[in-house]
Amino acid sequence: MAGENGFIGSIDQGTTSTRFIIYDHDARAVASHQVEFTQFYPEAGWVEHDPMEILESVKVCIAKALDKATADGHNVDGGLKAIGLTDQRETTIVWSKSTGLPLHKAIVWMDARTSSICRRLEKELSGGRSHFVESCGLPISTYFSAMKLLWLMENVDAVKDAIKKGDAIFGTIDTWLIWNMTGGINGGLHVTDVTNASRTMLMNLKTLNWDEETIKTLGIPAEILPKIVSNSEVIGEICKGWPIPGIKIAGCLGDQHAAMLGQACRKGEAKSTYGTGAFILLNTGEVPIKSGHGLLTTLSYKLGPQAQTNYALEGSIAIAGAAVQWLRDSLGIIKSASEIEDLAAMVESTGGVYFVPAFNGLFAPWWREDARGVCIGITRFTNKSHIARAVLESMCFQVKDVLDSMNKDAGEKGSLDNGKGEFLLRVDGGATANNLLMQIQADLMGTPVVRPVDIETTALGAAYAAGLAVGFWKEEDIFESGEKSKNSKVFRPAMEEETRKKKVESWCKAVERTFDLADLSI
């Protein structure tokens, strides 16, 4: 990748924070800035964000990262070729075309308020929970944007009125950001990309267009939906009023798909991103595979308007790093997230404690909205170190459950590319800096875990998409580069098979204890 000057910027708009990272031609981060923003919990199981606060966080991150890069002697002002964008998926906003203001706070992907709408549709529709699976690859679930949009259309007067007047437009976070960054009320572009669109329940996986039958069945007006584009193409230019006016927006992917690209996952290769939730994707190539084991059929990426579409199987885990935040913010067991590693390492096992973080139900492979969190096996011997270790184990058990389902669906063990016939799980995301977590993951899977030097592969994937679109990088730079894997750290399993088997059995018992707890009395 060496030998060319210039930079690519990447907006990474996540569930709890926003960041902007600037990469050089060797795909090295030369500057970044990160800002956390407010989480709103108006009722149990409800999670909201303020779209205006998110917009401001993006502006601040771009400006501060540019300042840092300039202070370090990088000519970013003259050398920024394009920016890419990656975002938390499914999170839903409806706003006014004429004022540019949101008509309600954003309903976040993990929000469970739509469970009654889901139950109603399951009863009304002939295919029940799987009614739309054939077209969109997704079951009816609180997770996906269409259900959140229906809730807004049914419960928010401002949304109802704006739709009647033709003044409402819908989008996920990527759409909201691009619309605002390309002009807003003054001609802002109303677009989304194929990966974000694939998570709404409204896009047909084969045609990559909004599915007319689905939209009609759900009563969603087609005119409020954005135009769908590929992941790597020049979408538009940033307008005045932003820190980088005139710069092209040339890449857009949902966060998990961006991580697939950042990890250079080709057909048969899998990655797990550990963030607020955990998301495991297996690239299945140019054919969508229907899951028989509770996984979602989705896209990996489509790197250009004429490029082949790569599909994926995905297992989504709602609560991973969020459980560590819960230990910190709600229980006060740790003061910072990084403390959990030392605390958990003070004991050699959980002492028989199993923690299942089903705070708002369970996603793949169980799909139980009636599940609630449990911590079992507690004795007088149990201390906070055991609980901390059980929280780390809970992330790893959930990832293992998803990978087991993937192996059954795909019929073969993903990426056999280390010459020893082993399945390699590529990992990324902030939590992977925790060495103990990675070792536990390898132990519980019984296969190696590979961590790249740059664990923030989500932002890197968005940068790659933008760089490809403007000719800054070629596909071989991304997929054929051996440099990235050279310095990766590999965690190998050290646990005995018998111990692993017993622990998995105990975990399954703990998961079963979470079912049918949604209506426990307050």
Side-chain angles (χ1 to χ4, degrees):
M1 285 195 189
E4 189 171 321
N5 295 323
F7 302 93
I8 296 285
S10 182
I11 297 168
D12 182 358
Q13 204 300 298
T15 308
T16 57
S17 71
T18 300
R19 76 181 115 204
F20 185 69
I21 303 180
I22 300 165
Y23 294 94
D24 66 13
H25 197 262
D26 292 324
R28 280 187 305 236
V30 299
S32 68
H33 191 75
Q34 185 168 4
V35 172
E36 286 197 1
F37 55 88
T38 315
Q39 309 291 309
F40 297 92
Y41 305 102
E43 291 186 31
W46 293 30
V47 191
E48 294 177 351
H49 292 157
D50 177 355
M52 301 306 286
E53 187 186 1
I54 286 177
L55 212 51
E56 189 56 32
S57 74
V58 174
K59 271 189 180 171
V60 168
C61 286
I62 293 173
K64 298 272 191 190
L66 287 170
D67 288 348
K68 289 178 186 177
T70 305
D72 287 343
H74 299 288
N75 179 25
V76 178
D77 278 343
L80 196 61
K81 305 295 184 190
I83 69 156
L85 163 66
T86 180
D87 62 318
Q88 49 167 319
R89 305 169 304 168
E90 297 100 14
T91 296
T92 299
I93 309 172
V94 177
W95 68 96
S96 160
K97 259 192 290 198
S98 58
T99 68
L101 296 174
L103 300 170
H104 189 274
K105 281 195 172 72
I107 301 181
V108 179
W109 57 271
M110 66 178 83
D111 182 288
R113 76 185 66 186
T114 60
S115 53
S116 59
I117 293 175
C118 295
R119 296 297 75 76
R120 184 184 80 213
L121 288 170
E122 282 173 25
K123 282 180 188 155
E124 287 174 2
L125 298 172
S126 58
R129 199 163 158 271
S130 304
H131 189 82
F132 302 110
V133 165
E134 203 54 49
S135 66
C136 70
L138 310 174
I140 292 172
S141 166
T142 60
Y143 188 11
F144 306 114
S145 312
M147 300 298 104
K148 301 175 198 298
L149 177 55
L150 286 182
W151 187 91
L152 289 166
M153 287 167 60
E154 290 175 14
N155 294 280
V156 180
D157 289 339
V159 171
K160 289 182 204 171
D161 294 345
I163 288 174
K164 265 185 209 157
K165 290 176 190 162
D167 187 42
I169 45 177
F170 152 82
T172 40
I173 296 287
D174 55 306
T175 305
W176 166 247
L177 292 178
I178 292 168
W179 188 80
N180 278 284
M181 292 175 79
T182 56
I185 57 172
N186 299 309
L189 297 169
H190 188 216
V191 301
T192 188
D193 75 272
V194 285
T195 61
N196 275 295
S198 76
R199 312 297 295 184
T200 59
M201 283 183 64
L202 303 175
M203 188 186 84
N204 185 299
L205 276 183
K206 294 192 177 81
T207 67
L208 306 185
N209 291 317
W210 301 119
D211 190 83
E212 287 177 24
E213 191 59 38
T214 302
I215 291 163
K216 192 173 149 194
T217 302
L218 294 175
I220 291 168
E223 59 272 16
I224 72 170
L225 302 176
K227 177 189 171 191
I228 301 172
V229 299
S230 79
N231 300 124
S232 181
E233 62 181 89
V234 175
I235 295 166
E237 290 187 358
I238 297 173
C239 64
K240 287 177 183 167
W242 283 79
I244 43 175
I247 298 295
K248 294 178 174 73
I249 301 172
C252 183
L253 308 93
D255 51 9
Q256 303 316 316
H257 315 273
M260 283 287 270
L261 185 55
Q263 288 269 33
C265 284
R266 288 173 289 197
K267 183 181 177 182
E269 298 181 352
K271 70 89 202 169
S272 178
T273 299
Y274 301 74
T276 305
F279 303 88
I280 304 93
L281 277 82
L282 173 72
N283 188 331
T284 59
E286 291 163 21
V287 183
I289 291 180
K290 195 173 170 184
S291 174
H293 299 91
L295 301 178
L296 308 175
T297 306
T298 190
L299 266 75
S300 284
Y301 41 71
K302 180 180 172 67
L303 300 178
Q306 307 307 319
Q308 287 283 2
T309 304
N310 266 242
Y311 291 92
L313 282 170
E314 173 173 340
S316 315
I317 293 159
I319 304 293
V324 178
Q325 289 173 329
W326 176 73
L327 282 186
R328 180 191 69 191
D329 301 337
S330 299
L331 298 192
I333 285 178
I334 49 176
K335 287 193 176 69
S336 70
S338 56
E339 284 177 27
I340 192 168
E341 183 170 5
D342 289 341
L343 182 61
M346 291 169 79
V347 289
E348 286 185 11
S349 74
T350 64
V353 173
Y354 287 81
F355 174 77
V356 186
F359 295 163
N360 287 353
L362 287 169
F363 286 171
W366 308 283
W367 298 103
R368 295 290 297 242
E369 279 152 25
D370 61 346
R372 289 298 178 266
V374 301
C375 188
I376 64 169
I378 299 168
T379 65
R380 187 67 186 82
F381 170 69
T382 305
N383 63 37
K384 61 185 179 180
S385 290
H386 295 112
I387 290 170
R389 196 174 182 107
V391 166
L392 293 185
E393 282 195 358
S394 75
M395 292 190 222
C396 301
F397 275 122
Q398 291 180 96
V399 170
K400 177 184 164 43
D401 288 338
V402 167
L403 283 166
D404 286 349
S405 296
M406 272 179 185
N407 284 333
K408 289 171 191 164
D409 277 330
E412 57 185 21
K413 283 199 163 189
S415 164
L416 307 176
D417 61 354
N418 69 344
K420 299 177 187 172
E422 291 173 306
F423 171 69
L424 297 174
L425 178 67
R426 292 160 171 75
V427 297
D428 54 67
T432 60
N434 184 323
N435 289 326
L436 178 59
L437 177 71
M438 294 296 95
Q439 188 56 52
I440 291 171
Q441 187 69 79
D443 284 343
L444 292 179
M445 281 171 35
T447 54
V449 167
V450 183
R451 181 179 68 197
V453 176
D454 181 358
I455 58 173
E456 299 303 346
T457 60
T458 304
L460 180 59
Y464 279 160
L468 284 170
V470 297
F472 188 69
W473 289 308
K474 297 185 178 77
E475 282 198 33
E476 52 267 32
D477 292 334
I478 295 163
F479 291 102
E480 307 300 333
S481 173
E483 289 301 310
K484 290 197 289 287
S485 55
K486 235 187 246 177
N487 301 316
S488 299
K489 181 163 175 59
V490 180
F491 295 85
R492 298 197 171 275
M495 184 180 280
E496 304 243 335
E497 183 58 37
E498 192 56 34
T499 308
R500 182 181 305 119
K501 202 172 155 194
K502 283 180 180 164
K503 284 183 76 68
V504 169
E505 283 169 6
S506 299
W507 164 255
C508 290
K509 270 188 197 169
V511 169
E512 284 166 15
R513 300 290 194 279
T514 70
F515 298 164
D516 198 24
L517 297 181
D519 54 0
L520 287 177
S521 181
I522 292 172

